[in-house]
Structure formats: C-alpha cells, structure tokens
Amino acid sequence: DTAVSQTPKYLVTQMGNDKSIKCEQNLGHDTMYWYKQDSKKFLKIMFSYNNKELIINETVPNRFSPKSPDKAHLNLHINSLELGDSAVYFCASSQEGIQETQYFGPGTRLLVL
Amino acid sequence: QKEVEQNSGPLSVPEGAIASLNCTYSDRGSQSFFWYRQYSGKSPELIMSIYSNGDKEDGRFTAQLNKASQYVSLLIRDSQPSDSATYLCAVNPVLYSGYSTLTFGKGTMLLVSP
C-alpha cells in the first residue's frame, strides 16, 4: 500500500542516452512534483503538476520533459543525458493548497557515466 | 532568489539532550513552514508544520516561528540516537498563489551519541 512509488529505484546509463522515470501516487492528491537532490543533498523543485496541468517549471533544461497522463501519475523523461544530471530524483504529491504536506516517493538514483 | 538558510552541521548532542535546529528565510511573504527529516539514502518525511507565530508542540518536537525575524526553529527534546538524520527546513513562498511549492534549505545533520 505504498503511497508514492517510483520506478526504477536505480538507473545507471551512458551520457547521451534517453531515460524515463515513473511516479504513481495512490493518495488521491491533486498535485504532483519532481525534485532533484544533488550530491550536496540540496533538494530543489523541478516541476509541479496540478490535475495534469503544468503549474511550475523551475528553469529546468528542456531536455527534461514531464508528462502527467492522469492526476495519479507523473513521469519524467530525460533526453541526451549529461554527467551533471546524476542525482537522486524524488517524486512527491500533495493536496492542492499552500499548507498541504508533500509526501515523497523513495527516490530514483540516476548515475550518468 | 528566494532562499532558506540552515547551518549544515553536524550538530552533535548526547542522548537525552535537547537538539536545537535553526532556519532563516528570505521571502517575508512566506506563509507555510515545514521541517522534514531525511535519513541517509531515504526520502524526506514530514516532522512538523507551522503556519502562525509562536510554538507548536508534537510529542518530543517543538517548532517555533517568528515571522518578524524570518526565523523558524525545531527543538527535539530527549534526543535519541534514532533522531540522527539530516533535518530539512522548507518554506512555502508566495510565488504560485494557492499552490504548495517548497523551497528547501540545505539541511542540518544531527548526530545523537548514546
């Protein structure tokens, strides 16, 4: 009965490849997010979707393309992977509203070689 | 640039002591404040949220907010070795009206020694 799940958990790939990370939440939340946590553990928001619509895009390179087929799913596709993309990517979800708690998935550890 | 500042630590305290974690933020209009705990290799989990000035207590945890000073803190009483983790302060700035978007600090590592 995992609340926010991500696949895969680990992803090792070569520079230049294209990869996708999937996220699903079963909490009935309206809003989903992608965060990037770099090697210094700094957690920074990348995207936010509310009811399948993009509401936040924090100046992320356009090699990153989120897609939300429905409000329970938010996937992240990355084109032409670069070394600097190596990080842990967390998906999160919340109800709509500025006081709502965000619940995080387990993370996807991406290593670009 | 909206910023959230935390001392990176590590903050070392003996078991049973009070751990005090501090955070300052730059956006004066921020309305919601959260403390998340992150164990090594795990995802962040919510410890406390606070929205108005003053103290909010939940078990061994107390969050304190002072909007005039743009300061939020987390006190952990009777610290346990299991509290050893990185504590992330997160602030919801007034950027996207009505939507929750969090700006995180870089976290303070807490080490509780038995």
Side-chain angles (χ1 to χ4, degrees):
Chain A
D1 59 344
T2 305
V4 183
S5 59
Q6 295 178 230
T7 54
K9 192 170 181 181
Y10 299 97
L11 193 48
V12 181
T13 188
Q14 299 288 330
M15 247 186 351
N17 284 351
D18 303 339
K19 291 293 178 186
S20 291
I21 307 171
K22 296 186 175 182
C23 178
E24 176 181 1
Q25 56 94 5
N26 62 5
L27 297 167
H29 288 162
D30 298 318
T31 310
M32 296 185 72
Y33 313 82
W34 278 111
Y35 286 88
K36 178 181 180 181
Q37 190 169 45
D38 61 25
S39 57
K40 295 183 179 179
K41 308 300 183 187
F42 186 41
L43 192 61
K44 186 170 166 58
I45 190 162
M46 301 173 68
F47 300 103
S48 172
Y49 270 74
N50 179 262
N51 281 316
K52 302 192 297 176
E53 290 194 14
L54 179 68
I55 54 172
I56 296 170
N57 179 341
E58 283 291 308
T59 59
V60 177
N62 57 15
R63 298 184 295 104
F64 291 78
S65 51
K67 281 193 172 57
S68 182
D70 55 60
K71 74 173 192 178
H73 295 85
L74 179 62
N75 304 322
L76 183 65
H77 187 76
I78 315 170
N79 288 326
S80 303
L81 278 155
E82 300 177 357
L83 295 176
D85 297 332
S86 296
V88 181
Y89 292 84
F90 287 102
C91 176
S93 73
S94 74
Q95 292 287 19
E96 185 176 332
I98 63 172
Q99 294 190 351
E100 296 298 329
T101 298
Q102 292 188 20
Y103 296 86
F104 284 78
T108 295
R109 283 143 186 85
L110 171 65
L111 178 60
V112 182
L113 302 174
Chain B
Q1 182 75 18
K2 310 300 180 184
E3 293 184 350
V4 177
E5 300 286 343
Q6 294 181 257
N7 188 325
S8 61
L11 173 65
S12 296
V13 300
E15 184 174 357
I18 295 175
S20 177
L21 304 159
N22 304 316
C23 171
T24 59
Y25 59 94
S26 64
D27 183 359
R28 185 169 287 279
S30 297
Q31 299 180 28
S32 311
F33 307 86
F34 304 84
W35 283 99
Y36 281 81
R37 177 176 64 197
Q38 187 174 24
Y39 291 113
S40 181
K42 302 294 185 183
S43 57
E45 57 176 330
L46 184 74
I47 298 295
M48 293 283 290
S49 58
I50 188 165
Y51 312 115
S52 39
N53 282 330
D55 294 1
K56 179 181 177 184
E57 187 174 320
D58 184 1
R60 296 187 295 112
F61 299 95
T62 299
Q64 299 174 316
L65 175 61
N66 183 326
K67 289 185 179 180
S69 301
Q70 295 174 238
Y71 175 91
V72 59
S73 66
L74 179 70
L75 299 178
I76 306 175
R77 288 182 299 283
D78 188 23
S79 294
Q80 301 297 309
S82 59
D83 294 327
S84 298
T86 296
Y87 289 80
L88 303 170
C89 174
V91 174
N92 205 342
V94 188
L95 289 177
Y96 302 97
S97 178
Y99 296 106
S100 171
T101 175
L102 297 180
T103 299
F104 281 86
K106 294 188 177 180
T108 297
M109 182 182 293
L110 174 65
L111 298 174
V112 181
S113 53

